[in-house]
Amino acid sequence: GNTQVIAYSKQCYRIFGETLDIAVGNCLDRFARVVGLPNDPSPGYNIEQLAKKKGRKLVSLPYATKGMDVSLAGIQSSVEAYTSDKRFRGDLELDSSTTDEDIITPADLCFSLQETVFAMLVEITERAMAHVRSKEVLIVGGVGCNERLQEMMGVMAQERGGKVFATDERRVSAHSPHPPSPGLIKVNLRYCIDNGIMIAQAGVLAYRMGYQTKLEDTTCTQR
């Protein structure tokens, strides 16, 4: 995976910030496995839903922005360490707000991981917007479908008089605890899950430039 903040100008891409170690998607997927969340439909989606429904407590995690870059390996280690804390209860259905005990639930950790990591992404994106004087953000990739990330990015963009475009077909109902930000515009088709549209566009450009590979010479490595 990759996590990057990229600006496009004059047919060139410039990377303004990126992860210094692991990608956001890898971070979320790994933690989902640690707390026993299923892969169906995806680990990141299940983290999002658990955080939204039962996440109540924000635990302390390292906030690691380094200039325009982010570091996620330390956050990954810290949130996993909480699962060995004596206050941790591993029941996925547990809600820490319904008990007087000082406990930490998987939902609390999912909530805290999302809030911390997404705040870092919003911060470096805002810096990049200020640098290039842009008022538009396009969120792509699998994690880009996370509605909490879209909401946080939309709030930032609205405060700057800008807009966020998110390639996700899911709708937020009027009764949702996280209503859509006025700064957020959703494209109806989920083209950018796992960067599918990027791969397709790269293929189109290569074909137009005359670069072709015979079908029998092509390979695909399934990870």
Side-chain angles (χ1 to χ4, degrees):
N2 65 343
T3 297
Q4 296 177 319
V5 177
I6 303 173
Y8 180 77
S9 177
K10 298 179 181 179
Q11 296 186 318
C12 293
Y13 290 96
R14 178 179 175 186
I15 299 174
F16 280 86
E18 59 187 336
T19 177
L20 297 175
D21 32 60
I22 61 175
V24 174
N26 299 131
C27 179
L28 296 176
D29 289 355
R30 175 173 169 176
F31 185 67
R33 290 191 293 270
V34 168
V35 293
L37 287 171
N39 289 327
D40 184 25
S42 72
Y45 176 80
N46 291 327
I47 279 185
E48 175 188 358
Q49 296 310 306
L50 188 60
K52 183 187 302 184
K53 294 174 182 176
K54 298 181 181 297
R56 301 291 183 268
K57 183 181 297 183
L58 185 67
V59 302
S60 178
L61 294 172
Y63 189 92
T65 56
K66 301 183 179 181
M68 288 296 296
D69 298 322
V70 296
S71 176
L72 302 173
I75 297 175
Q76 179 81 67
S77 299
S78 295
V79 74
E80 289 182 12
Y82 275 108
T83 62
S84 299
D85 191 291
K86 63 181 181 180
R87 295 170 295 168
F88 179 72
R89 304 291 185 271
D91 185 354
L92 294 175
E93 298 300 321
L94 199 58
D95 186 334
S96 60
S97 66
T98 62
T99 175
D100 293 331
E101 290 184 85
D102 180 19
I103 64 171
I104 298 173
T105 68
D108 294 332
L109 295 182
C110 290
F111 172 73
S112 301
L113 181 61
Q114 280 196 163
E115 294 297 303
T116 305
V117 170
F118 293 166
M120 292 161 53
L121 297 182
V122 170
E123 178 184 334
I124 64 173
T125 301
E126 184 174 18
R127 289 181 187 173
M129 290 177 69
H131 186 80
V132 300
R133 299 178 183 177
S134 174
K135 291 187 178 295
E136 295 181 341
V137 177
L138 174 63
I139 307 177
V140 299
V143 178
C145 293
N146 187 297
E147 291 178 346
R148 179 55 179 154
L149 174 59
Q150 294 173 8
E151 178 192 15
M152 293 171 69
M153 201 71 74
V155 170
M156 179 273 290
Q158 184 188 19
E159 291 175 350
R160 298 184 58 83
K163 295 178 180 178
V164 170
F165 298 84
T167 50
D168 182 8
E169 69 182 2
R170 281 186 288 160
R171 294 289 186 271
V172 181
S173 72
H175 305 291
S176 170
H178 298 298
S181 164
L184 173 65
I185 296 176
K186 287 201 173 192
V187 179
N188 290 344
L189 300 178
R190 298 177 78 175
Y191 283 134
C192 283
I193 295 178
D194 292 333
N195 300 330
I197 196 171
M198 297 181 186
I199 298 170
Q201 177 67 8
V204 169
L205 294 176
Y207 179 78
R208 288 176 178 173
M209 295 301 292
Y211 181 82
Q212 299 180 35
T213 304
K214 293 182 180 179
L215 183 60
E216 57 267 25
D217 294 333
T218 62
T219 60
C220 177
T221 303
Q222 181 67 44
R223 292 192 296 174

